[in-house]
């Protein structure tokens, strides 16, 4: 009888253990949990790429905004320089007309003086025939040119008052016209130099604007591609999110089914145990042994994430005249005569001398009235030193469209910072190439 009870109890326990183990459910949930973890890792990678794409978009947008501002400055500079070039051309034409008019007046005057020369020679012959003053005749007839004749005649004390008045008036007119002609020609030469400089500058600015336009297009293309990449990553993330959501729901459903199956099996086991106990009791008239059941515990995987806050270092501050102008590099444009108003300075529109004036003003040094600053005033603003003793902060001068036509601030290492017509404010090399050829050796220490 005891053997029959032992066999029956063992059968019931084995049956209960088999019902409660449910190996198929546990394996399925484990696979789905593993798949879910993989999807979460993929989403983290995709979201990291989305953030990187967003950061790149932000950087490109800032770069593009900066480029747009520079293009606007270049447009303003080009317009201003074109206006100045047109005005210079008009001044050249007007001055050329003045020169032509003066040349006509001089030619007429010379014709009048030639006629007067003939008259005076006739009078000299008359004096000779009538026995006039020998000294006067020798002066008049011995002159090598009409100008020499006028000068000699004025020096002779015996000349008659009428002749002296005519000669003095003629001499004064001739001297005045020659002076005016020399002044106008000098002005014309200066204007021609300015025109050459402006023409070169306009060509350089046009080339620079073309380059900036190409760069702006490149930035726009990059932005479009990055937007496309971001959209693709977001679509991938959305797909992964849907897949993750589906898996989570499947896991939930699977766990619910497992729980229901476990409870059903437990109930069936209890009923089987009860029935077996009753049969055993009837058979042996002894109390049945009860079996204990155990349940499995599952631990859910935990995900952790680390967030690192971005840090940013403070921007360095310019501390002296050598570096104070660096803020305008890439953010300025050259305007002939620019930089002499607060509006120009705010927009980064300088010429070489106004930039030097501004840079020194930032470190508390006044180089004279801003409205009249020029390379001519700056070369007398300090003490001239030998180029062999040149040190950072000294002013350096170059012969461009004229003597001392360009000025900059020496920064050391054979380089200087200045407002260049082709680049705006920039650091250039004066130890080789164009600026080495143009450097005239003038160094001024403020």
């Amino acid at each position: 009888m005891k053997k029959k009870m032992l066999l029956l109890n063992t059968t019931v326990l084995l049956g209960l253990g088999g019902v409660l183990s449910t190996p198929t459910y546990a394996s399925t949930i484990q696979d789905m949990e593993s798949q879910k973890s993989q999807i979460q890792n993929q989403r983290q990678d995709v979201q990291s790429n989305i953030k990187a794409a967003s950061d790149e978009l932000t950087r490109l947008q800032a770069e593009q905004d900066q480029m747009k501002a520079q293009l606007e400055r270049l447009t303003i500079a080009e317009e201003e320089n074109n206006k100045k070039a047109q005005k210079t051309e008009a001044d050249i034409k007007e001055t050329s007309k003045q020169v032509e008019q003066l040349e006509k007046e001089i030619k007429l005057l010379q014709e009048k003086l030639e006629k007067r020369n003939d008259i005076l020679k006739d009078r000299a012959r008359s004096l000779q025939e009538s026995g006039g003053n020998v000294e006067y005749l020798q002066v008049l007839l011995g002159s090598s040119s009409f100008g020499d004749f006028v000068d000699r005649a004025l020096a002779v004390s015996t000349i008659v008052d009428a002749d002296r008045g005519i000669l003095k008036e003629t001499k004064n007119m001739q001297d005045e016209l020659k002076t005016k002609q020399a002044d106008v020609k000098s002005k014309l030469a200066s204007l021609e130099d300015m025109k050459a400089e402006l023409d070169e500058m306009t060509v350089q600015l046009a080339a620079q604007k073309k380059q900036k336009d190409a760069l702006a297009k490149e930035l726009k293309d990059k932005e479009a591609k990055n937007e496309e990449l971001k959209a693709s990553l977001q679509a991938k993330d959305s797909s992964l999110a849907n897949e993750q959501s589906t898996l989570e729901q499947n896991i939930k459903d699977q766990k619910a089914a497992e729980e229901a199956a476990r409870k059903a099996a437990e109930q069936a086991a209890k009923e089987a145990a009860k029935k077996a106990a009753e049969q055993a009791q009837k058979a042996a008239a002894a109390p049945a042994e009860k079996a204990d059941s155990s349940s499995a515990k599952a631990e859910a995987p935990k995900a952790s994430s680390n967030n690192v806050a971005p840090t940013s270092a403070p921007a360095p501050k310019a501390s002296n005249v050598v570096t104070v102008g660096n803020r305008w590099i890439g953010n300025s444009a050259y305007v002939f005569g620019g930089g002499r108003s607060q509006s120009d300075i705010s927009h980064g529109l300088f010429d070489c001398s106004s930039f030097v004036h501004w840079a020194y003003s930032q470190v508390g040094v006044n180089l004279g009235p801003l409205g009249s600053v020029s390379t001519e005033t700056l070369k007398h603003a300090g003490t001239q030193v030998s180029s062999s003793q040149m040190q950072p902060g000294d002013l350096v001068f170059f012969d461009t469209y004229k003597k001392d036509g360009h000025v900059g601030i020496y920064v050391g290492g054979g380089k200087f910072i200045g407002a260049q017509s082709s680049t705006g404010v920039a650091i250039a090399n004066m130890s080789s190439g164009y600026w080495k050829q143009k450097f005239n050796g003038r160094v001024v220490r403020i």
Side-chain angles (χ1 to χ4, degrees):
M1 182 65 66
K2 289 183 179 179
K3 288 183 178 180
K4 289 183 179 179
M5 289 179 63
L6 180 60
L7 179 61
L8 180 60
N9 288 337
T10 302
T11 302
V12 171
L13 290 174
L14 288 173
L16 181 60
V19 171
L20 294 178
S21 64
T22 60
T24 303
Y25 293 136
S27 177
T28 303
I29 290 174
Q30 184 177 1
D31 290 344
M32 286 191 293
E33 288 286 4
S34 176
Q35 189 176 357
K36 175 185 172 182
S37 178
Q38 291 176 3
I39 291 175
Q40 287 175 333
N41 290 335
Q42 289 178 21
R43 285 198 69 193
Q44 288 180 354
D45 291 341
V46 170
Q47 288 170 352
S48 176
N49 290 333
I50 289 174
K51 184 180 183 304
S54 297
D55 292 344
E56 178 65 8
L57 275 175
T58 301
R59 188 192 68 78
L60 286 173
Q61 185 60 53
E63 189 174 349
Q64 192 174 46
D65 290 343
Q66 184 179 9
M67 189 60 61
K68 287 179 180 177
Q70 179 66 358
L71 287 174
E72 290 176 1
R73 275 189 289 270
L74 288 172
T75 300
I76 294 173
E78 188 176 22
E79 290 175 353
E80 290 298 318
N81 289 325
N82 284 335
K83 288 179 183 177
K84 293 182 183 297
Q86 292 172 3
K87 183 180 183 302
T88 303
E89 289 175 353
D91 291 343
I92 290 173
K93 289 180 180 179
E94 180 61 28
T95 305
S96 297
K97 290 180 181 178
Q98 295 176 13
V99 171
E100 291 177 1
Q101 181 61 32
L102 283 173
E103 288 175 345
K104 289 179 181 178
E105 292 177 1
I106 290 174
K107 185 177 180 179
L108 290 173
L109 178 60
Q110 288 174 339
E111 290 176 354
K112 291 180 181 179
L113 291 176
E114 288 294 335
K115 290 179 180 179
R116 291 188 181 188
N117 186 27
D118 293 339
I119 294 173
L120 289 172
K121 284 182 177 180
D122 289 341
R123 296 183 63 178
R125 292 190 187 93
S126 298
L127 282 172
Q128 184 180 19
E129 292 173 356
S130 60
N133 186 283
V134 176
E135 181 184 3
Y136 182 47
L137 295 175
Q138 288 177 344
V139 169
L140 295 179
L141 298 177
S143 58
S144 60
S145 65
F146 183 62
D148 184 36
F149 165 74
V150 173
D151 292 336
R152 285 170 174 261
L154 287 172
V156 177
S157 59
T158 56
I159 190 172
V160 295
D161 291 339
D163 292 345
R164 184 181 296 276
I166 292 172
L167 291 169
K168 280 186 176 181
E169 181 181 356
T170 302
K171 177 65 174 176
N172 290 339
M173 290 176 62
Q174 189 178 35
D175 290 343
E176 182 181 359
L177 286 173
K178 286 182 178 180
T179 299
K180 285 183 178 181
Q181 186 182 39
D183 290 342
V184 172
K185 285 184 176 180
S186 175
K187 185 178 179 181
L188 180 61
S190 177
L191 288 171
E192 289 287 359
D193 289 340
M194 290 174 60
K195 179 63 169 57
E197 179 80 359
L198 286 169
D199 286 344
E200 179 183 359
M201 180 177 54
T202 300
V203 172
Q204 291 172 336
L205 284 173
Q208 187 182 37
K209 186 177 183 301
K210 184 178 180 181
Q211 180 183 6
K212 296 293 184 183
D213 286 342
L215 185 55
K217 183 179 182 302
E218 181 182 350
L219 285 173
K220 189 174 181 179
D221 291 342
K222 285 183 179 179
E223 185 180 23
K225 290 181 180 179
N226 208 63
E227 285 282 9
E228 183 180 351
L229 173 61
K230 183 180 178 182
S232 174
L233 290 170
Q234 287 173 334
K236 177 66 175 175
D237 182 62
S238 177
S239 175
L240 288 171
N242 291 335
E243 190 174 347
Q244 179 180 336
S245 177
T246 300
L247 273 172
E248 288 173 348
Q249 185 61 44
N250 290 342
I251 291 171
K252 183 178 179 182
D253 294 343
Q254 192 70 18
K255 285 183 176 181
E258 179 186 352
E259 182 65 16
R262 188 188 65 79
K263 288 182 177 180
E266 188 178 43
Q267 183 64 30
K270 285 181 179 180
E271 291 177 356
K274 183 179 179 182
K275 186 176 180 180
E278 290 174 350
Q279 290 176 353
Q281 188 176 11
K282 287 178 181 181
E289 296 180 2
K290 296 183 179 180
D292 294 329
S293 61
S294 59
S295 59
K297 295 182 181 180
E299 292 185 1
K302 294 182 180 180
S304 63
S305 61
N306 296 322
N307 295 325
V308 180
T311 59
S312 59
K317 270 188 156 183
S319 59
N320 53 53
V321 72
V322 174
T323 58
V324 72
N326 290 350
R327 57 171 290 194
W328 295 115
I329 296 176
N331 299 304
S332 60
Y334 184 96
V335 173
F336 195 88
R340 286 162 179 78
S341 68
Q342 189 55 49
S343 175
D344 279 1
I345 294 173
S346 298
H347 289 87
L349 305 177
F350 296 96
D351 65 8
C352 61
S353 52
S354 66
F355 170 74
V356 169
H357 188 284
W358 173 86
Y360 268 93
S361 72
Q362 300 305 295
V363 295
V365 178
N366 185 356
L367 295 181
L370 175 60
S372 59
V373 66
S374 67
T375 54
E376 288 298 314
T377 63
L378 290 176
K379 72 182 185 181
H380 300 296
T383 303
Q384 292 197 33
V385 297
S386 169
S387 59
S388 62
Q389 299 176 338
M390 189 163 46
Q391 63 186 28
D394 290 344
L395 303 187
V396 287
F397 291 79
F398 305 84
D399 293 343
T400 51
Y401 72 98
K402 67 174 184 178
K403 178 72 174 176
D404 298 316
H406 189 69
V407 63
I409 302 171
Y410 186 65
V411 300
K415 297 179 180 179
F416 75 99
I417 186 171
Q420 272 69 268
S421 61
S422 59
T423 59
V425 176
I427 294 176
N429 189 352
M430 57 182 290
S431 60
S432 64
Y434 176 82
W435 292 112
K436 179 181 181 180
Q437 296 174 0
K438 297 298 182 180
F439 178 54
N440 61 18
R442 186 188 300 279
V443 180
V444 174
R445 184 162 299 161
I446 302 300

